[in-house]
Amino acid sequence: MIIFKMISKTIGFINQSIAAIGISAGVAVAFTNVVARYVFDASLVWASELSVYLFLWSVFFGAAYCFKKDAHIAVTIVLDAMPSRLAKAMLLLSHIITIVFLIAVAYYGYEYLLLVIDLDERSIDMWDMPMWIPYLVIPISFAFAAYRVAERIHAILSTPHDKILKESEAEHVLAEMGIGARRNQENENVKELNEMVKEVEKKTGGML
């Protein structure tokens, strides 16, 4: 549906923007503080705390974005060894557990946020800034991540069991090089290379 596509694009834009701006601004603030400290002997008292918050926002929203690309580290050696139907069920179960965890953290993060607002916690070094502002990253980023996992669950349910297991990153690279193309499948060297990749994948637990 159009509305879900719009939501997906909006969440993706927010995740990418905050992740990029957060890491860039965090590095800039940290660098400025180092220069001020060692060149001008005048450390910025707010710089360390601000850079930590910027990095946290970047990491949490970047992690939420990784759910969209399915870029989180996963050990798939068990799934690869299972029949496709069972592998699909296991993959679905793992995503259900993941979304339950993400929703729980988002919910309790929101509850803690309300507590911080009630207590009126403020940062001493950050110009008396209300602490609910940096803590806002928890419920928002985990809610975005949960939405992405929900998309993954829908994709898993919609995908036939025999196509549920994706190629590894190494196999994607080979495919981009044309090594996995049909015209090369009969080539003995290509077969040997593909077998070698699969063997390494097994030995490394799918982390190649």
Side-chain angles (χ1 to χ4, degrees), residues 96-111:
I96 291 175
I97 294 174
T98 301
I99 195 172
V100 169
F101 170 77
L102 293 172
I103 292 175
V105 174
Y107 172 76
Y108 287 108
Y110 173 72
E111 290 289 318

Side-chain angles (χ1 to χ4, degrees), residues 20 32 40 51 80 109 112 115 125 132 147-148 155-156 164 172 177 198-199:
T32 302
F40 301 102
S51 61
D80 293 337
Y112 181 73
L115 176 62
D125 295 332
W132 66 264
Y147 182 84
R148 290 307 190 192
I156 293 171
I164 199 66
H172 277 301
M177 296 170 58
K198 292 179 180 180
E199 186 66 25

Side-chain angles (χ1 to χ4, degrees), residues 46-96:
W46 48 265
S48 296
E49 188 172 352
L50 178 58
S51 61
V52 168
Y53 293 149
L54 289 170
F55 286 138
L56 284 175
W57 277 65
S58 176
V59 168
F60 277 103
F61 279 93
Y65 178 73
C66 285
F67 279 107
K68 169 65 176 178
K69 297 296 183 180
D70 201 20
H72 285 285
I73 294 176
V75 180
T76 60
I77 185 171
V78 176
L79 287 177
D80 293 337
M82 294 292 174
S84 58
R85 292 182 185 275
L86 182 57
K88 179 176 180 177
M90 293 176 62
L91 195 60
L92 183 61
L93 177 61
S94 68
H95 280 73
I96 291 175

